[in-house]
Amino acid sequence: MNISKKYAWIMDSLSHTPFSVKARAMKHFLTGKKEYLPKKNTNADIESIVKCSLCPNMCRFDCPVSEAEKNETLSPSARARIAYLFEMGFLEGEVVADTLYSCCNCDACRQWCPFEFSFGDILQGVHRDLVEENNLPKQVFDLRDTIEKKHVSDDKSFNIVGKHKGDLLYFMGCTVMSKHESIAVAMTKIMEKAGEKWAILEDEWCCGAPLYNLGFIDDFVEIAEINLHKIRETGCKELICSCPTCAYIFKEIYPKFKLNINVKILHATEYLARSEKSYKISKEFEKNYVYHDPCTLVRKLGIVEQPRYVLNNIKELTLKESYFHGKDTQCCGRGGSMGRTHPGISEKITKKRLEELSKYADSIITACPTCKSAFSDLGGEVYDISELIYAGCKTDERQ
Ligand code: SF4
Ligand code: SF4
C-alpha cells in the first residue's frame, strides 16, 4: 500500500485539531526519539536492544540460562529490557551487572530471532559500559586479573616442545594448556605424521576472547597486538586452533580492531578433514560414540560437516547423533566464561546436556576443549576429535 494512503487517517484527524495540538504533536514527533535514547555516551547498540526489548521473546525456550534457572528475568528479551533501563540510567550497574553477564554467548536464541541477533554481541557493548562504570561482579574482575597477570585464563600445566617457526602454526588455547595436554599431543603428532612444517608459539598467551566478551576492550586490544606480533614472527601461512572460540576471535574480531593476522585461520576439524589421507585408523572402537557440536563451532563458524566427515570415515567407529545436533545443538554450559562468572548456572546447563547425550552413547566426542572440560568435570567420558584420531592410529604411526 502506498505509504501516504496508509497514514492518510492521521493527516485527516490532525487537520481537524486546533493549532496548539498540531504544534505539540509536531514537537513530539521531532524530539520524541531523543527522549528514548540514553543521554550518556554509550558503547551499546541501543537500536537492537530496543527491538529485542519489544520482541515476544519466543527464543527464551531455547535459552539455556533461562531454562536452567526457570527464570524469565534471565531470558533474552527481559535482559534486553534490563540493559535498556541501565543504559537510560534508571538502573544502577551494580544492581544489574550479574544478570547482564549471565549469557553463554551460545547463539541458540539467534536460531529463532527475526533480526538474527547474536545476543552475546548485543551484550558486549553493554559490558563495555559496565566496565567503564567499574562496578562489576567479583568473578568478572578475577578473570580479567588472572589473564593480566598470567597471560592465560588458567595456570599452564605443561610445555609441548616444538619449533617456533614453520608454515603451520598450532595455537592450543588456554584450556588445552591448562587441562588437556593430550589434545596438543594428538594435534602435533597428527601434523608431524602429515609431514607438516608445524610450529607452536614460544610462550603462548590467551587469544583475548574472555577480555573481549566481558567488555575489557583496552586489555583485549593490548593482548591482541602482542599475539599478532608473535604470530607474524613464526612466518606461518596457516593458523590451526583446537578451540573454536580462538579461531572465531582471530578470524572475526581481530579484524574489527584493524588487527589482521593475514594468514588462513582454520579450526582443527577443518585441518583434520583436509589431511584425512595422511593418517590411518586401524583400531576397532568398541563403544558407541555421540558427537556434541560446540556452539561457537557450528553457529559462529558454521562448521557442521567437517567433524562428521572425519568421524564417518572411521569405519570402525559407531557414531550416533543426538536429537539436538548441528545448529540445533545445546550449550555445554561453559560458553561466555559462564564456568567462571556463574559456576552454579553453568553446572546446571552442563548436567542437562550431559544427560541428553548419555541417552545415545556412553562416550562423547567433541571438538572444543572447553566442552570437554565441562562434561569431564561432571564425570562424562569425553574425547576431543583429535585425541580419538590419534588413539586410533596404528601403534607404529604414533611414534
Ligand atoms: S546467547 Fe545463549 S545464553 Fe545468551 S541469551 Fe542467547 S540463548 Fe541465552
Ligand atoms: S534475541 Fe531476537 S528473538 Fe530473542 S527476544 Fe531478542 S529479538 Fe526476540
Side-chain angles (χ1 to χ4, degrees):
M1 191 193 293
N2 181 307
I3 193 124
S4 56
K5 272 192 189 165
K6 190 175 171 189
Y7 295 108
W9 65 274
I10 299 178
M11 304 307 290
D12 190 43
S13 47
L14 268 178
S15 70
H16 297 295
T17 56
F19 180 76
S20 60
V21 175
K22 282 182 201 154
R24 212 169 64 232
M26 189 52 75
K27 181 171 166 258
H28 279 215
F29 179 74
L30 294 172
T31 60
K33 197 173 172 190
K34 274 192 201 152
E35 286 179 29
Y36 297 101
L37 290 176
K39 303 223 175 352
K40 65 175 186 182
N41 284 336
T42 172
N43 296 296
D45 174 358
I46 300 295
E47 199 178 313
S48 298
I49 289 175
V50 170
K51 281 183 185 159
C52 188
S53 302
L54 299 173
C55 173
N57 200 17
M58 295 308 283
C59 67
R60 70 189 183 279
F61 300 111
D62 232 3
C63 172
V65 175
S66 56
E67 279 296 295
E69 291 296 280
K70 304 284 176 234
N71 183 346
E72 283 279 316
T73 307
L74 297 175
S75 66
S77 182
R79 270 176 293 177
R81 286 167 218 158
I82 292 168
Y84 178 71
L85 294 172
F86 160 67
E87 293 293 346
M88 290 296 288
F90 298 133
L91 287 175
E92 295 292 323
E94 190 184 2
V95 179
V96 294
D98 192 59
T99 304
L100 295 177
Y101 275 106
S102 60
C103 171
C104 295
N105 202 2
C106 67
D107 274 2
C109 46
R110 191 178 195 174
Q111 305 307 302
W112 304 98
C113 183
F115 307 108
E116 293 196 13
F117 285 151
S118 176
F119 197 73
D121 288 352
I122 291 184
L123 283 179
Q124 202 275 334
V126 181
H127 292 168
R128 287 174 77 168
D129 290 340
L130 284 164
V131 166
E132 282 176 12
E133 274 199 7
N134 214 20
N135 233 333
L136 306 176
K138 183 180 175 303
Q139 303 90 309
V140 173
F141 273 129
D142 287 350
L143 182 50
R144 193 276 307 265
D145 289 349
T146 304
I147 299 175
E148 260 204 349
K149 279 188 206 123
K150 300 181 178 172
H151 306 138
V152 280
S153 61
D154 222 326
D155 285 322
K156 282 188 191 181
S157 67
F158 65 91
N159 272 319
I160 292 277
V161 179
K163 292 186 176 153
H164 305 307
K165 288 202 187 294
D167 293 341
L168 210 63
L169 177 65
Y170 173 54
F171 193 91
M172 293 173 237
C174 294
T175 311
V176 169
M177 288 191 288
S178 64
K179 296 190 177 83
H180 302 303
E181 179 176 9
S182 51
I183 296 179
V185 170
M187 277 304 292
T188 51
K189 292 285 183 188
I190 292 168
M191 290 191 289
E192 186 91 42
K193 174 82 190 95
E196 310 279 10
K197 287 183 185 156
W198 63 272
I200 48 172
L201 292 174
E202 196 168 352
D203 177 24
E204 187 182 307
W205 287 16
C206 174
C207 68
L211 296 171
Y212 174 76
N213 289 329
L214 298 177
F216 297 101
I217 293 305
D218 294 344
D219 300 300
F220 166 71
V221 172
E222 207 175 297
I223 211 167
E225 282 172 346
I226 293 167
N227 279 333
L228 197 66
H229 177 71
K230 286 172 173 228
I231 292 167
R232 283 187 182 149
E233 272 195 325
T234 65
C236 67
K237 297 189 183 97
E238 290 184 313
L239 175 59
I240 318 284
C241 303
S242 275
C243 172
T245 302
C246 299
Y248 173 72
I249 284 282
F250 286 141
K251 213 170 178 173
E252 304 292 339
I253 307 299
Y254 274 40
K256 285 191 182 170
F257 293 86
K258 299 199 175 13
L259 298 165
N260 289 302
I261 298 182
N262 289 334
V263 299
K264 194 171 175 191
I265 294 153
L266 299 171
H267 179 255
T269 50
E270 294 176 286
Y271 173 75
L272 292 171
R274 183 180 84 184
S275 58
E276 167 255 334
K277 292 206 168 33
S278 62
Y279 50 82
K280 198 169 162 220
I281 310 282
S282 58
K283 182 181 159 177
E284 292 263 335
F285 292 95
E286 282 153 17
K287 296 177 186 167
N288 289 337
Y289 294 84
V290 59
Y291 178 67
H292 164 76
D293 291 272
C295 304
T296 302
L297 193 67
V298 285
R299 298 201 184 112
K300 293 193 193 288
L301 292 170
I303 297 176
V304 179
E305 294 309 323
Q306 292 87 333
R308 289 175 170 79
Y309 172 78
V310 170
L311 294 169
N312 287 326
N313 268 342
I314 307 176
K315 293 186 186 61
E316 297 77 10
L317 187 128
T318 311
L319 188 69
K320 308 272 182 181
E321 288 281 18
S322 88
Y323 181 78
F324 298 101
H325 69 273
K327 290 199 172 173
D328 293 328
T329 190
Q330 292 174 322
C331 182
C332 74
R334 296 265 172 104
S337 302
M338 284 284 282
R340 301 287 280 273
T341 61
H342 295 76
I345 301 178
S346 166
E347 193 174 314
K348 282 187 202 169
I349 299 171
T350 309
K351 199 161 172 262
K352 186 172 170 227
R353 180 59 173 159
L354 196 54
E355 278 168 11
E356 163 74 11
L357 292 169
S358 308
K359 289 183 203 159
Y360 299 89
D362 301 327
S363 304
I364 302 163
I365 305 170
T366 190
C368 170
T370 304
C371 298
K372 177 174 159 110
S373 276
F375 297 135
S376 55
D377 285 353
L378 289 192
E381 188 178 313
V382 199
Y383 300 93
D384 185 82
I385 187 166
S386 56
E387 291 175 300
L388 199 91
I389 288 174
Y390 182 53
C393 288
K394 271 186 183 169
T395 317
D396 59 334
E397 291 186 348
R398 299 184 57 197
Q399 304 311 311

